[in-house]
Amino acid sequence: MIIKTNKDEFLDYLHDAANIRGDSEQLYIPETGTELSQLIRKLYADKTAFTISAKRTGLVGSAVPQGSVLISTEKLNRIKKIDIAEKTISVEAGVLVADIQTALFAEGFFYAPDPTEENSSIGGNIATNASGAKSFKYGATRNHVLELEIILPDGEELHLKRGMCVAEGYKLRLTTSSGQNRNLILPEYPLPYVKNTAGYYVKKNMDAIDLFIGSEGTLGVITAAKLKIIPIAYHNFSAVLFFPKEEDGLEFIKKAVEKTAVSRENNDPRGINPRAIEYFDSNALKYASGDYPNIPSGLGCAVWIEQELSAEDEDILLSEWYSLFLKFKVDVDKIWVATDRTEEKKIAAFRHSLPARVNEYIAKNNFRKIGTDVAVETKDFRKFYFKIKEMTRQTGLDFVTYGHFGDSHIHLNMLPKNEREFEVARANYDAICRLAIKYNGTVSAEHGIGKTKRHLLLGMFGLPNLKKMALLKMSFDPHLLLNPGNIIPPEIFESLS
């Protein structure tokens, strides 16, 4: 166990990738799961609050302590087993996604969730139900978790296997490794019909494992997991398309999504079925041009698509795609196309460079990141998108927009230059989130709620349902010691006391 009490030695642990800052007097870095379990048990017995951290790549302050003791799981970093026959990988919570991908690539496999920050830990990914570009086809982290090892707030341990512990209606019984039974009544409230990580995921007859995925470390501490892995395709068609007008790009995405739905419904291996459909507006392209001077000028937008190909279907699928390109005024001479794995990585790096540049700008100017993570239903997407762009233009702020438009999921990042603009950006951010709620969408499609979006949950779920979430949290953690401040506003707990 590594223990640090000199704050100067762990200042980097007191902020996350969005430059959200906190404070703590003590950092613990356990080197084994047993050390972590014993530490949590002692802290809970002493009624000492503690925050769990790993790589701090989050954007909502979930891993940032607000005066509590800090625990880092970074040393729980073993890849325990890759089972090729079973198509699984077993890992400890502190393993980096990049290290998982490297180990799997050597075996001809990959892990489908593809967060922008590959240096994130897998435990953090599970705690936030992280997703990324490939979620258009493969979904978020939840779809790929088969088993979890969890330490509950009081130090009791839980091992969950998908399909082995399922609620009867809204009644759920958990049995810890020591034989203790925990009987829960799960809350009932509606979740939005969009990609969503806001609030606790609960539904009738749910698998217990899904309760902890996306709970932002508030119900238990994830220490290890078994995950699904997928064979690498014969070839990936990866291309960035440039459109003279934004409407052309949006119409292209709409048609590609429609064709994908048909291919999936018919289980057609020769149909359009990309794993990624990503969008970049003209501001984002200008912003990226410093690193990528070969971006054509005077464009309306760009779209990145990526689809896995087999040897027998490659020619047919490429023909399908190029036919679609020509219908929507894509200049085929300017398309960036990856011809090998190296080129694929370059295109992926282009996609990931935008949020990285935004984060660098925010850190350099010592602001907190102000970027949306909203999603709405597809039928409302176009109207919503143009509305929030116009709202932001009217503020006079610089901004860039990109995101997972195949999932109707938008990252609109405002770039304030001074404190006044920062306050304007905050107000506009809240207004955009309220509009997403009005459209029956979500304020958080993949980043979670953490500490910075708690105030938005009241509008999204209403006070009665927030109280239900608080009671669920208290059924695991009656003293509110584990990851205090995440998800639920403190005043909700106060109203229950």
Side-chain angles (χ1 to χ4, degrees), residues 275-322:
R275 62 184 187 181
I277 302 180
E278 301 283 289
Y279 180 85
F280 316 91
D281 78 349
S282 59
N283 291 344
L285 295 176
K286 290 174 187 175
Y287 197 65
S289 62
D291 292 331
Y292 294 88
N294 55 332
I295 293 174
S297 60
L299 296 169
C301 66
V303 176
W304 170 41
I305 57 100
E306 188 170 84
Q307 177 161 351
E308 293 147 321
L309 306 175
S310 64
E312 56 270 24
D313 300 327
E314 181 172 15
D315 290 343
I316 293 172
L317 276 168
L318 290 178
S319 176
E320 281 280 312
W321 275 115
Y322 274 89

Side-chain angles (χ1 to χ4, degrees), residues 15 18 39 55 77 86 112 137 201 247 298 306 325 406 429:
H15 65 87
L39 173 62
K55 295 302 292 183
N77 56 6
E86 192 179 58
K137 179 176 181 179
Y201 177 88
E247 280 285 357
E306 188 170 84
F325 297 165
Y429 173 90

Side-chain angles (χ1 to χ4, degrees), residues 34 56 85 269 317 446 454:
T34 299
R56 302 169 304 286
L317 276 168
E446 67 179 353
R454 298 178 311 202

Side-chain angles (χ1 to χ4, degrees), residues 142-143 162 165-173 184-193 196 198-213 219 461 468-469 472:
R142 184 185 312 282
N143 294 2
R162 187 169 292 283
C165 182
V166 178
E168 295 183 4
Y170 289 92
K171 294 180 180 179
L172 179 64
R173 170 177 285 189
L184 306 173
I185 302 296
L186 299 173
E188 298 182 47
Y189 48 76
L191 295 171
Y193 292 105
N196 176 56
Y200 293 124
Y201 177 88
V202 290
K203 66 177 185 177
K204 190 176 183 179
N205 301 320
M206 71 180 294
D207 197 301
I209 204 169
D210 288 321
L211 183 61
F212 294 89
I213 300 168
L219 306 182
F461 286 99
K468 291 178 184 178
M469 290 185 196
L472 176 62

Side-chain angles (χ1 to χ4, degrees), residues 424-450:
V424 171
R426 286 180 63 180
N428 190 56
Y429 173 90
D430 281 2
I432 290 172
C433 289
R434 288 194 297 270
L435 186 63
I437 294 169
K438 184 177 179 181
Y439 276 90
N440 299 314
T442 181
V443 301
S444 186
E446 67 179 353
H447 295 158
I449 293 298

Side-chain angles (χ1 to χ4, degrees), residues 151-171:
I151 301 174
L152 296 176
D154 60 1
E156 282 290 310
E157 297 180 30
L158 194 63
H159 187 178
L160 294 175
K161 295 183 180 181
R162 187 169 292 283
M164 299 300 289
C165 182
V166 178
E168 295 183 4
Y170 289 92
K171 294 180 180 179

Side-chain angles (χ1 to χ4, degrees), residues 59 114-116 125 128-133 135 140 195-198 351 372-375 403-404 409 411 442-449 453:
L59 299 171
D114 182 34
T116 297
N125 277 227
T128 57
N129 191 32
S131 57
S135 65
K195 183 181 178 184
N196 176 56
T197 58
R351 161 63 181 91
T372 72
D373 185 36
V374 291
H404 317 292
H409 176 191
H411 296 309
T442 181
V443 301
S444 186
E446 67 179 353
H447 295 158
I449 293 298
K453 297 185 187 179

